[in-house]
Amino acid sequence: MKNWTYSFGCGHDHTDIGKSILGGKGYGLTVMSNLGFPVPPGFTIVTDACDTYYKSGKIIPKEIWDQVMEKIRFLESVTGKTFGAGPLPLLLSIRSGAKISMPGMMDTILNLGLNDETTEILGAATDNLRFAYDSYRRFIEMYATVVMGIEHYLFENVLNHTKQQLNIEHDWQLETKSLDKTINDYKKIVLQHAGVALPQDVFEQLRMAISAVFESWNGQRAIKYRKLNNIPDSWGTAVNVQSMVFGNMGADSLTGVLFTRNPSDGEKELFGEFLINAQGEDLVAGIRTPQPVTRKLAGDEPSLEEVNLDIFNQLKGLVLRLEDHFSEMQDIEFTVEKNKLWLLQTRKGKRTAKASIKIAIDIMKEGKINHQEVLDRISPLEIEKLLHHTIGDSVKIEVLTKGLPASPGAASGAVVFSSEEAEELAKRKKVILVRRETSPEDIGGMAVAEGILTTKGGMTSHAAVIARGMGKPCICGADSIIIDEKNNHMIVGQERILGGELITINGATGDVIRGEVATVKQKTFPEFLELMHLADVARRMSIRANAETTKDAETAIDFGANGIGLCRTEHMFFDPIRITAVREMIFAASKEERVAALSKLMPFQKADFKSLFERMYGLPVTIRLLDLPLHEFLPVTRPDIESFAHQIGLSVAEVEIRIKNLHEINPMLGHRGCRLAITFPEIYAMQAQAIFEAAIEVGNVITEIMVPLVFDVKEVEILKNLIEEVHQKTAPQLKYLFGVMVELPRAALQAAEIAKLVDFFSFGTNDLTQTSLGFSRDDVGKFLNRYQEYGIIKGDPFATLDQDGVGELIKIAVERGRAANPKIKIGVSILISCLSQLFY
Amino acid sequence: MKNWTYSFGCGHDHTDIGKSILGGKGYGLTVMSNLGFPVPPGFTIVTDACDTYYKSGKIIPKEIWDQVMEKIRFLESVTGKTFGAGPLPLLLSIRSGAKISMPGMMDTILNLGLNDETTEILGAATDNLRFAYDSYRRFIEMYATVVMGIEHYLFENVLNHTKQQLNIEHDWQLETKSLDKTINDYKKIVLQHAGVALPQDVFEQLRMAISAVFESWNGQRAIKYRKLNNIPDSWGTAVNVQSMVFGNMGADSLTGVLFTRNPSDGEKELFGEFLINAQGEDLVAGIRTPQPVTRKLAGDEPSLEEVNLDIFNQLKGLVLRLEDHFSEMQDIEFTVEKNKLWLLQTRKGKRTAKASIKIAIDIMKEGKINHQEVLDRISPLEIEKLLHHTIGDSVKIEVLTKGLPASPGAASGAVVFSSEEAEELAKRKKVILVRRETSPEDIGGMAVAEGILTTKGGMTSHAAVIARGMGKPCICGADSIIIDEKNNHMIVGQERILGGELITINGATGDVIRGEVATVKQKTFPEFLELMHLADVARRMSIRANAETTKDAETAIDFGANGIGLCRTEHMFFDPIRITAVREMIFAASKEERVAALSKLMPFQKADFKSLFERMYGLPVTIRLLDLPLHEFLPVTRPDIESFAHQIGLSVAEVEIRIKNLHEINPMLGHRGCRLAITFPEIYAMQAQAIFEAAIEVGNVITEIMVPLVFDVKEVEILKNLIEEVHQKTAPQLKYLFGVMVELPRAALQAAEIAKLVDFFSFGTNDLTQTSLGFSRDDVGKFLNRYQEYGIIKGDPFATLDQDGVGELIKIAVERGRAANPKIKIGVSILISCLSQLFY
């Protein structure tokens, strides 16, 4: 017969059953029990039982129930109390406990086992009728709301009404008589709203409470959370049934929580609070100000260390052994009942990002974990949090709507709907640029704005990419916002926000907030640098920066990058002087005109490459030849079109027609990347010449030329020949590497053929994700949230690589590429916040 | 030592060397020689020699030249003539001959071996100085233009000038004296333009001519052709050196060509022409009207059958044996020199599509080839040609520009630039609708137009798909056309075409032609039906039609389709009455509003499905749930927007803002396909309900529901559950199949997971091609031509599946899918012209 239940706290039980079967809470209790720590006796119904419950048509099967009954009898014998009867009634707490902590799971039910009769017996046995009545009141409220689904405010109303009548402020001021009346009122609410009376049968109470735990596994919030975090439905939750201990039995009783280290800054010091004569829920409800556990942190109220040194020392010894056991900072719940200490729970303590890093490094230094474990314990999100302005944890905010967290950091400013307005208004105040989507024309406005908010586009839309490059907060694809520039306002649900009104955006969460919110910024600290060093030692890949400007290059070197891995040449084209030459090139009617326009660009490109090479002296620089579709360079606004028409000597109408003709329906899949050079070889020829000439003049440069968006070996062959021809003419003595971006599924599949012709592959994960999943990064805002909610997509596919699809293509390409060309170098281009944001 | 040369026509030579080594021409000569047919003696320099020539730095290596000299000495002994000397000078023809016939390869050089001295000797030996001089004149002209690269018109000018002075019309009217003068003038041109004199050394002539053949392998046109047809550069060309025979030695000499069957209609009858006293080039130049070979086809001029029955009978016997040998219709060149018949060439005869089919079927019936070979011999393009109006082969057209051949057929009409205008003008005359691209708003205009021409978009753009559905000719992506609606004209290069002007489009070739061109249409014929029957027996896949309307369904049944394989439900939404409900659904602010709008659509969908099911009674119908992005249904033109705003009770500005907000940057990768149902499940729920209710009411329906654009098993799970829920509510007793479109690379890779949940996969090759290659079918026009030219892409990837990339993904998906679910059905959705066009 299967063991559905495992005891803890009963002295001779000692199991080695793991967390996945006992759940997190049950496992913690079992560990403490195994260590011989004072844990109120109880037992855990294993997680498997949850699935069995559902498969049995939401009924606790007899086999399980029989084992529960057996364990209850055992508890009675261990505690010397009786469930549902005197002389000493056994009271139980019922708590859920999945393998990992999950919001939306059932709250605790305390004091189960009380009914009209046992309450009186308890009062007599403890010689404390008030305590018994108060416990019964609490039980009814918890049971009715959690198990019977009655709304909580009904009970609150009763209690508030009573306190008003008596003119008292706190619950603990209620006398026995008032509590008796409250209990009667509570029972009436139950009868009225549930249609049945509160069960007096304590076994009925237990059965219902266990069922309620199982049912909460399929509560809406729990399901949503599981989907979002990709937790299998089959895991199920365990149920913990534990005999009650009471922190509310008088001045010699208390209840508290304790962290083994400071969860705010990670300092190695106990950090906790307690309340005398209270139950755990009082601590949570904040009805009295708790007292600190340690003297060091004590203010006006005396600390536990001062109040009861003996208990303090016992507690301290136990919790430090727990931390030692888990090699991890613990968060412990404890209760003292009549001077006897009990531990109710231990778990990994929540902490800030900073504390997370300090604690991991400190525990490593204590010799308890190794380097790799430190790295495993810190999530990239925690690092990210430290690099940007954020909204403090304690700040209360009201979120208007959510978009995609496109570039981290938080910022406040006045709403502006155009870049012109941004540039104008930014002279006087901080602005947030709000646009449907941004284009190269918006660069000026983005540069002066504190942050950018778009209603379209995804994590790698123009707005997102540029904002990250600029180190500015950005939210993209907030598609519930409707912008109405004409009327200078935007609509978010029922709210209307006027141009000039203040909003705050949190680019790390995607929250759009009305009004101004104070933000904070973390300073660097020694453990952070130690962590970075550990990462540096552990990594197997060389890290290079994205950089186009000398400023980027300098930042890259300062932060120890091993070179430039992606220099996007089109970013050198957007400068106002150059853009005209670019546009002339695009409008050229013949090869000759195109070559003429390109020859105007050539000195700029060469100068750019020279200064980049000079700055990177000796380090490799990978230059990606032009990738953007040509229409990205065209003027958008009427004044720009007019001015360009004037410059180029065409009518505005003519220019507009030409722009219309260059428009693409799916530019992402259009005339871009190396296709530009297949149709207009002059462009890459000019770029290659600029690179080679710059490299020769600077000397000692490791030049790597990279061709984007290939899908066939013939493209690679043609363009390799084109570049090699320029090389032979310009600088035959110069060594350079030639490679391609593998960013289309077909390129990955054709890797064997392509690899023979190139020195390196660089995986372009953005485009590979877009094409493999059929996801336009610019348009994903409309459905990505829903996809994440349903757990179809885990996280943002443009930030976290889709291993099943995109990952397999990369694997195929690496295997085929290496088999065909064992010397091939492999790189990957990923989207992370620009280094330049680090602690700036 | 390698054999670089092989003799033919020398009696005892008998090789079994194949076409790839001898080239097509050399192989034909060798076969005829082996059969003992009268072939002028000669030899072939093998194709390998071409590569060796280039590798030797464009020099004929000594080893090869030595063998050539040996063969020349052998030819001298066989013919009793001497190369470059008397008493009888050996004259040679030099011809190229690659493995397959290739335009751009070197023309023939005849009469090589003549110089000032041998010409006189030839004149004396043949007692025909005029013949010798005429031969020499022809040789100089050919050698100078082909080998020395001098422009042809220079020689023509001299000849024309001479004829004018002499007041004669034809070359053959020139006397010996005039020819002598012409020869001198020709020599002067050579000296002046080549800087060197015409070589008098006949070995020098031979060496240069052979080199010229090799060089022509790398001529621009030849390279382009090879790239376009994916012919490896390494193949090389052979060189055929053959002793001359002369059809211009008097009235007992002639030259001609003969097809073994009629190349126009495929009738089994000899079909050919000849000229008395002429060389082959005269036949090509058309200086005199040739006479027919057979009496049956003779008009005013007597036929060869009548002129010389003996020769005719010899010829007839030989060519029929040749056809028999090759089991294929042959095109033969022959010459009669002084009553002796010689065969100069045999090859597979070119023919019309109709003849192609008739000949293949007839030869099969003669027991010479089997069914499979008939099918192999007919290309899909030939079938395609028969199904549509075409421009007759003989019509001279001037092509303005070329676009993508998006929907076959040819049509003429007046240019209109808007659908409104099309609908107006079409009442009075035929129109061609010319648009940048079309949208659903253009349906009316497309319906009345004879054909559609767009400047953007590819083979599967809206215009192309709809045009094919309508059976109308369409050219897409003709991007050299600049439309200027304001000025009611379009610019094509230097030409301006006004609205209302007549143009003709050939949707089979992509040709845009100025003016009206007569078109022809093939009628069906018995051999075509026999071919279709053979195909039907041979095929291993079941064929289903694309159909949304009862008319489509009826056509599908008439043409023997095994069911409907793709019913695109969105096509049912474009009807004017329905589109408003669709738009209301899109504009719905809440789920309730959306459901309300959908419930208006529901009766239409149900009625559509019912009539489709009724028509297909008992045959399977695969219904694809909504796939199009929602903004495709929105109004585009100002009047439409105004009318919609009025209907929906919003201001025009409001509607415009909402439309702007629905705009997508890459709609192909945006909020479409099953993503619509993940975000708005109501849509698929309504469609499923309509399907199930219709199926139940009709009865005996095989319903297959298909979900488009999935990439993950979770999407499939969610939507399968959604549809199954509707099924349980609506028609639990009804059986149906559930499947998905595999049209994204990730779906193909995830096939194992997905296959477990579905009854069938249908490969959407369009979208799979778009995503695998990163090719937007709508924007491919800008670069596809260049890609085809370079041979990067063979043909249109949306018409011919890319086997390397897309094909591998399909293979992966089929293997994984079948392994996970052996019962899974596999289908493929391909783009072919709508069946409804067949012979209509």
Side-chain angles (χ1 to χ4, degrees), chain A residues 399-407 409 411-419 422 431-439 442 445-446 449-458 461-464 467 472-483 485 489-492 497-498 501-507 509-514, chain B residues 661:
Chain A
V399 176
L400 265 179
T401 187
K402 263 177 117 71
L404 299 172
S407 176
S412 303
V415 167
V416 289
F417 297 113
S418 79
S419 287
V431 300
I432 302 286
L433 179 61
V434 182
R435 305 275 295 148
R436 251 176 227 95
E437 59 213 8
T438 62
S439 76
D442 289 313
M446 295 174 78
E450 298 301 309
I452 295 103
L453 167 61
T454 72
T455 60
K456 290 168 180 297
S461 62
H462 179 267
K472 284 180 198 291
C474 177
I475 295 175
C476 286
D479 66 350
S480 68
I481 296 178
I482 297 176
I483 298 176
E485 300 96 335
H489 68 224
M490 61 184 189
I491 307 286
V492 194
I497 296 187
L498 299 174
E501 237 185 275
L502 287 173
I503 62 166
T504 300
I505 60 171
N506 186 349
T509 59
D511 290 341
V512 180
I513 303 149
R514 193 160 201 162
Chain B
N661 277 301

Side-chain angles (χ1 to χ4, degrees), chain B residues 455-557:
Chain B
T455 61
K456 291 170 179 298
M459 297 291 287
T460 54
S461 61
H462 178 267
V465 171
I466 300 296
R468 279 191 295 267
M470 291 179 169
K472 282 181 198 290
C474 176
I475 295 176
C476 287
D479 66 350
S480 68
I481 297 178
I482 296 175
I483 298 176
D484 182 353
E485 300 96 335
K486 279 187 203 154
N487 296 309
N488 194 33
H489 69 223
M490 62 183 189
I491 307 286
V492 195
Q494 301 301 315
E495 306 210 39
R496 180 183 303 261
I497 296 187
L498 300 173
E501 238 184 276
L502 286 173
I503 62 167
T504 301
I505 60 172
N506 186 348
T509 60
D511 291 340
V512 181
I513 303 149
R514 194 162 200 160
E516 191 167 13
V517 179
T519 60
V520 292
K521 178 85 192 240
Q522 184 67 53
K523 285 202 164 39
T524 188
F525 53 97
E527 288 84 0
F528 179 83
L529 299 178
E530 286 182 64
L531 179 73
M532 291 292 109
H533 177 71
L534 290 184
D536 229 25
V537 170
R539 70 187 166 84
R540 292 185 303 153
M541 295 176 91
S542 153
I543 310 271
R544 300 194 195 171
N546 285 8
E548 287 89 33
T549 63
T550 49
K551 180 164 168 274
D552 291 346
E554 278 161 12
T555 311
I557 288 179

Side-chain angles (χ1 to χ4, degrees), chain A residues 403-579:
Chain A
L404 299 172
S407 176
S412 303
V415 167
V416 289
F417 297 113
S418 79
S419 287
E420 292 78 16
E421 209 188 331
E423 291 184 60
E424 186 50 40
L425 198 61
K427 293 170 191 162
R428 300 191 303 278
K429 54 168 92 168
K430 294 181 171 183
V431 300
I432 302 286
L433 179 61
V434 182
R435 305 275 295 148
R436 251 176 227 95
E437 59 213 8
T438 62
S439 76
E441 304 284 337
D442 289 313
I443 297 281
M446 295 174 78
V448 298
E450 298 301 309
I452 295 103
L453 167 61
T454 72
T455 60
K456 290 168 180 297
M459 297 291 287
T460 53
S461 62
H462 179 267
V465 170
I466 299 296
R468 279 191 296 266
M470 291 179 168
K472 284 180 198 291
C474 177
I475 295 175
C476 286
D479 66 350
S480 68
I481 296 178
I482 297 176
I483 298 176
D484 183 352
E485 300 96 335
K486 278 188 205 154
N487 296 309
N488 193 34
H489 68 224
M490 61 184 189
I491 307 286
V492 194
Q494 301 301 314
E495 306 210 40
R496 178 181 302 261
I497 296 187
L498 299 174
E501 237 185 275
L502 287 173
I503 62 166
T504 300
I505 60 171
N506 186 349
T509 59
D511 290 341
V512 180
I513 303 149
R514 193 160 201 162
E516 191 167 14
V517 179
T519 60
V520 292
K521 178 84 193 239
Q522 185 67 52
K523 284 199 164 36
T524 186
F525 52 96
E527 289 83 0
F528 180 82
L529 299 178
E530 287 181 65
L531 178 73
M532 289 294 109
H533 177 71
L534 290 184
D536 230 25
V537 170
R539 69 189 167 84
R540 292 185 304 152
M541 295 177 91
S542 154
I543 310 271
R544 299 196 195 169
N546 284 10
E548 287 89 33
T549 64
T550 49
K551 179 165 168 275
D552 291 346
E554 278 161 12
T555 310
I557 288 181
D558 286 352
F559 280 91
N562 305 126
I564 293 175
L566 181 60
C567 166
R568 292 160 295 187
T569 51
E570 54 264 23
H571 284 229
M572 301 169 167
F573 284 2
F574 283 122
D575 179 281
I577 304 176
R578 307 170 189 193
I579 194 89

Side-chain angles (χ1 to χ4, degrees), chain B residues 109-315:
Chain B
I109 297 178
L110 300 179
N111 307 338
L112 187 135
L114 284 179
N115 56 19
D116 293 353
E117 193 186 333
T118 51
T119 301
E120 296 298 337
I121 297 172
L122 180 70
T126 56
D127 199 15
N128 193 341
L129 198 60
R130 194 207 163 273
F131 156 70
Y133 279 14
D134 189 43
S135 297
Y136 194 28
R137 170 191 72 81
R138 289 170 190 257
F139 166 67
I140 298 172
E141 188 181 314
M142 283 188 271
Y143 188 89
T145 53
V146 173
V147 177
M148 305 179 89
I150 299 171
E151 296 218 57
H152 190 258
Y153 77 94
L154 296 167
F155 300 97
E156 245 174 316
N157 283 353
V158 166
L159 206 61
N160 288 337
H161 183 70
T162 309
K163 287 191 284 187
Q164 267 174 15
Q165 280 189 319
L166 298 172
N167 200 21
I168 58 173
E169 198 182 342
H170 299 296
D171 296 358
W172 51 267
Q173 293 170 309
L174 288 167
E175 299 286 315
T176 310
K177 211 179 104 191
S178 311
L179 287 169
D180 190 24
K181 187 181 170 297
T182 304
I183 288 168
N184 279 319
D185 288 347
Y186 275 14
K187 285 189 191 164
K188 278 183 207 151
I189 292 173
V190 170
L191 190 63
Q192 193 183 335
H193 286 87
V196 292
L198 180 86
Q200 290 291 316
D201 178 349
V202 297
F203 292 96
E204 167 79 4
Q205 289 174 5
L206 179 61
R207 186 193 290 276
M208 293 293 285
I210 293 172
S211 295
V213 172
F214 289 147
E215 300 274 339
S216 73
W217 177 254
N218 278 331
Q220 274 198 330
R221 245 181 96 202
I223 290 175
K224 212 165 180 177
Y225 183 86
R226 282 205 297 278
K227 289 218 155 137
L228 209 53
N229 291 277
N230 203 32
I231 298 169
D233 290 339
S234 62
W235 277 12
T237 177
V239 186
N240 298 291
V241 180
Q242 193 171 18
S243 54
M244 288 292 302
V245 289
F246 298 96
N248 57 342
M249 288 195 80
D252 53 358
S253 301
L254 56 85
T255 192
V257 295
L258 182 61
F259 290 81
T260 56
R261 303 196 182 216
N262 190 317
S264 297
D265 60 14
E267 282 300 320
K268 189 169 184 177
E269 61 187 8
L270 295 185
F271 182 91
E273 299 174 327
F274 72 103
L275 274 176
I276 292 175
N277 196 13
Q279 272 195 319
E281 50 177 317
D282 301 328
L283 209 63
V284 178
I287 50 173
R288 276 183 286 156
T289 307
Q291 297 165 243
V293 170
T294 53
R295 185 183 297 141
K296 187 185 162 202
L297 299 169
D300 295 341
E301 299 283 322
S303 67
L304 182 61
E305 200 170 353
E306 292 155 307
V307 170
N308 193 332
L309 185 60
D310 180 39
I311 289 287
F312 173 80
N313 282 336
Q314 279 181 51
L315 183 63

Side-chain angles (χ1 to χ4, degrees), chain B residues 365-440:
Chain B
K365 287 184 182 160
E366 290 160 18
K368 290 180 193 146
I369 59 175
N370 62 23
H371 294 184
Q372 189 53 49
E373 200 156 350
V374 172
L375 294 171
D376 290 347
R377 282 187 182 186
I378 310 299
S379 79
L381 263 180
E382 286 174 308
I383 304 284
E384 187 89 57
K385 270 189 183 170
L386 290 175
L387 304 182
H388 306 280
H389 275 270
T390 56
I391 293 167
D393 291 335
S394 56
V395 178
K396 271 272 177 193
I397 55 164
E398 206 181 320
V399 175
L400 265 179
T401 186
K402 265 179 115 72
L404 298 171
S407 176
S412 303
V415 167
V416 289
F417 297 114
S418 78
S419 286
E420 291 79 14
E421 209 189 330
E423 292 185 58
E424 186 50 38
L425 198 61
K427 292 170 192 160
R428 300 191 303 279
K429 52 169 94 170
K430 293 181 173 182
V431 299
I432 302 286
L433 178 62
V434 182
R435 306 274 295 149
R436 254 180 224 91
E437 59 214 8
T438 62
S439 75

